Amino acid sequence: MGFLKTYSSMFWLLAGIIAGSIAGLIFGEKVVIIKPIGDIFLNLLFTVIIPLVFFCIANAIAHIDAGNKLGRILGMMSLVFLSTILISAFLTIVAVWLFPIHQQVALSKNINIEQPGNWGEQLSRLLTVGEFYELLSRKNMLPFIIFSGLTGFAAMRVGEAGKAFRQFLYSGNEVMKEVLGVIMKLGPVGLGAYFAYQVGTVGPQLFGTYAHSLGIYYGFGIFYFIFGFSLYAFVAGGIPGIKIFWKNNIIPTLTAVGTGSSIATIPANLEAVAKMGVPQDIGNVVVPLGATLHKDGSSISSIIKMAVVFAMFGKSFDSPSVVLMALGVTVIASIVEGGIPNGGYIGELLVMSIYGFPIEALPPLMIIGTLVDPLATILNATGDNVAAMLTTRFLRGRAPAVS
């Protein structure tokens, strides 16, 4: 019963999508009449994204404790987080190259994902906007994320003078998370209607693309979980590091599966890293922040989603510029997703914003994110434990497993 309760929202979402897909197969293009229901759901989702992202990021940064000599730990932890996210993303790109997602479905052939101008102009448009009001558009998600982070950093820096503002950020974050939760209750109906439209107008070949992408995710995800984490544990503590990691990683893995949440796995992770030989001052920083900022599973799914949508729109996913941009987007999306219920949808909107995909790209991104969630949660949650071991190894110059 606990498992069903944890993943009940996912099952309802899948039920709506399956029902909509069946309706599309049966009624064909006649289902276009219910497409506005899907449009209403997506529009509601779009409107909540901007305030939600602002409050989430600004609140998280504003409440970071700048004291207690955390600078060195935070610096090394950030390098470890960034490295593992980039490694998982790049290896996923290699997996997509080895097992390419065939371009079976062309939802649109008239979009241009190339940004005009030279690299300097592209970078300027990617990171900034010319007017404040432009930040409030979902088409400029990355500049808005940067602005939110700067606001949170300033609120942290001003100390006592910013106490009321920090409380406002915390309260706003809680309210907007609840708003998103209410909207997502409409997900089964909204996505069901949209999938009925897609299947009815595009055809059942959609399912072949989804099955292929899910096969890549679960195949590579399990490989990364076993061999990738073992390699990290070896770097942290040699053969003893591998043994002590897997010996104490069982309970966190089961907790991640049972709760479906990286946040809920924090207590199990804290207990596990202590047994892995990670000092308390490092474990108490890396594990809680890792639950929000460190998402190897989300990194892998982000690349898979991009590859699927590129294929659906008839675009190649192998040029150097696309790969570099994908790695950057993955890092940002993995960080943004942390701490937000249904946070994967925020990352998906970021993908759409940066690459300029139309609204038709969102439902495929959402369904893939939903289907990979169980394994993604395991990778996200338990990856914090091996990250804590690596941080100890590089920061203290000794293996945590033999400390």
Side-chain angles (χ1 to χ4, degrees):
M1 291 298 295
F3 178 84
L4 293 176
K5 182 178 180 180
T6 298
Y7 292 102
S8 61
S9 59
M10 182 182 74
F11 291 141
W12 277 111
L13 200 60
L14 290 176
I17 291 170
I18 292 172
S21 301
I22 293 174
L25 289 172
I26 294 176
F27 298 106
E29 295 188 2
K30 294 180 180 179
V31 297
V32 70
I33 194 174
I34 65 173
K35 181 177 179 289
I37 298 176
D39 291 336
I40 290 172
F41 167 71
L42 294 179
N43 287 339
L44 287 173
L45 190 62
F46 287 142
T47 56
V48 77
I49 292 307
I50 291 298
L52 177 65
V53 168
F54 171 77
F55 282 112
C56 176
I57 295 177
N59 174 67
I61 296 177
H63 286 88
I64 290 177
D65 185 357
N68 299 326
K69 299 180 180 179
L70 292 178
R72 292 183 67 242
I73 296 177
L74 290 174
M76 183 56 65
M77 177 200 71
S78 299
L79 288 175
V80 170
F81 286 178
L82 179 62
S83 298
T84 58
I85 289 175
L86 287 174
I87 289 171
S88 62
F90 180 74
L91 292 178
T92 308
I93 291 174
V94 174
V96 170
W97 288 344
L98 294 176
F99 305 97
I101 298 173
H102 301 293
Q103 299 178 6
Q104 299 173 340
V105 183
L107 297 180
S108 172
K109 297 183 179 180
N110 298 316
I111 67 166
N112 179 21
I113 62 172
E114 299 296 332
Q115 298 293 332
N118 57 37
W119 268 101
E121 294 173 340
Q122 291 184 37
L123 186 64
S124 175
R125 295 173 183 176
L126 180 65
L127 301 179
T128 60
V129 294
E131 298 283 351
F132 176 79
Y133 73 88
E134 294 179 293
L135 288 173
L136 304 180
S137 170
R138 60 181 171 85
K139 297 179 181 179
N140 299 312
M141 284 288 291
L142 186 52
F144 184 73
I145 288 170
I146 294 173
F147 172 79
S148 302
L150 290 174
T151 301
F153 181 71
M156 177 191 69
R157 293 262 299 175
V158 297
E160 184 65 24
K163 182 177 180 180
F165 187 74
R166 290 193 295 271
Q167 182 58 39
F168 164 71
L169 293 176
Y170 171 79
S171 179
N173 185 43
E174 295 301 308
V175 171
M176 296 315 300
K177 287 194 294 185
E178 184 63 24
V179 172
L180 179 62
V182 172
I183 292 175
M184 287 309 301
K185 291 185 182 301
L186 305 175
V189 176
L191 282 184
Y194 215 97
F195 265 77
Y197 166 75
Q198 281 199 333
V199 173
T201 56
V202 177
Q205 63 265 43
L206 278 169
F207 299 112
T209 301
Y210 289 137
H212 186 74
S213 62
L214 292 175
I216 295 176
Y217 183 89
Y218 277 93
F220 176 75
I222 293 172
F223 173 86
Y224 183 80
F225 178 64
I226 297 174
F227 295 100
F229 284 4
S230 294
L231 177 62
Y232 296 149
F234 177 80
V235 173
I239 298 299
I242 296 177
K243 293 180 179 179
I244 200 169
F245 171 74
W246 286 112
K247 176 182 178 181
N248 295 288
N249 199 51
I250 297 175
I251 292 178
T253 300
L254 296 176
T255 304
V257 174
T259 62
S261 168
S262 297
I263 302 297
T265 311
I266 288 177
N269 280 347
L270 288 173
E271 184 177 351
V273 296
K275 295 178 180 178
M276 294 174 188
V278 174
Q280 185 176 9
D281 60 334
I282 294 179
N284 286 350
V285 172
V286 175
V287 169
L289 287 180
T292 300
L293 303 175
H294 183 227
K295 305 283 184 180
D296 285 2
S298 298
S299 170
I300 297 172
S301 68
S302 178
I303 295 296
I304 296 293
K305 293 170 189 175
M306 282 187 267
V308 168
V309 177
F310 267 66
M312 286 182 168
F313 285 90
K315 302 295 180 179
S316 63
F317 194 66
D318 53 7
S319 69
S321 60
V322 169
V323 170
L324 288 174
M325 184 72 76
L327 292 175
V329 171
T330 295
V331 171
I332 298 168
S334 299
I335 294 174
V336 170
E337 290 178 15
I340 306 178
N342 303 300
Y345 305 144
I346 311 298
E348 288 146 13
L349 287 170
L350 179 62
V351 172
M352 291 175 57
S353 168
I354 291 178
Y355 285 114
F357 286 118
I359 192 173
E360 287 83 3
L362 184 57
L365 293 173
M366 292 180 71
I367 182 57
I368 293 172
T370 299
L371 293 174
V372 304
D373 184 67
L375 180 57
T377 301
I378 293 175
L379 292 169
N380 290 339
T382 63
D384 298 336
N385 298 332
V386 77
M389 293 178 65
L390 287 169
T391 301
T392 301
R393 176 68 179 86
F394 297 134
L395 196 61
R396 300 294 171 85
R398 56 183 170 83
V402 296
S403 57

